[in-house]
Amino acid sequence: MARELAFAYRGAVKKLKGYMARSSVERLANWILTEARRDGSQESVVIPFDRGTLASHIGTTRENLSRNLALLTEHGLRIRGREIVMDRKELLEAFARPQPLIDDPTS
């Protein structure tokens, strides 16, 4: 029980660090990269819930989420409904700059 509590606390701290250290578009880019790693897919991510829930998850509004998705098309993404296709993942990674202490689930 103590281990589960520690993991939950660490997850909350990581999320707070992400909110404080990144803009909403950077949080979205890192969420996409994390989901791609978790699913094992290196080319696309399907949003598992509605966009309002995703916006809440990354700490922004639904309107800003739509703007952020449009901005990320300049960094190698294509949006097809709930599917996000990474045409040039290296551009997205260069923009997102993932941090091991925030994004690595094993840290």
Side-chain angles (χ1 to χ4, degrees), residues 9-105:
Y9 178 75
R10 182 65 185 141
V13 168
K14 285 181 175 189
K15 190 173 242 188
L16 184 60
K17 279 183 179 181
Y19 287 151
M20 295 174 65
R22 296 178 171 150
S23 67
S24 63
V25 70
E26 290 171 330
R27 290 192 301 268
L28 176 60
N30 279 290
W31 180 85
I32 292 168
L33 291 170
T34 301
E35 285 297 308
R37 262 184 260 122
R38 182 177 300 145
D39 292 343
S41 168
Q42 297 299 318
E43 297 176 0
S44 67
V45 171
V46 176
I47 301 173
F49 29 72
D50 67 299
R51 288 188 180 194
T53 304
L54 176 58
S56 175
H57 181 69
I58 63 168
T60 189
T61 63
R62 188 180 177 106
E63 295 80 16
N64 281 337
L65 177 67
S66 294
R67 286 187 209 112
N68 291 342
L69 285 169
L71 279 171
L72 288 178
T73 59
E74 299 172 7
H75 299 282
L77 291 184
R78 274 186 297 134
I79 312 301
R80 293 190 298 186
R82 292 177 64 172
E83 183 181 21
I84 301 170
V85 180
M86 291 180 277
D87 292 325
R88 301 200 46 209
K89 187 177 177 183
E90 66 279 355
L91 283 178
L92 184 64
E93 286 177 338
F95 174 77
R97 298 182 322 264
Q99 302 286 323
L101 293 176
I102 298 175
D103 303 306
D104 185 11

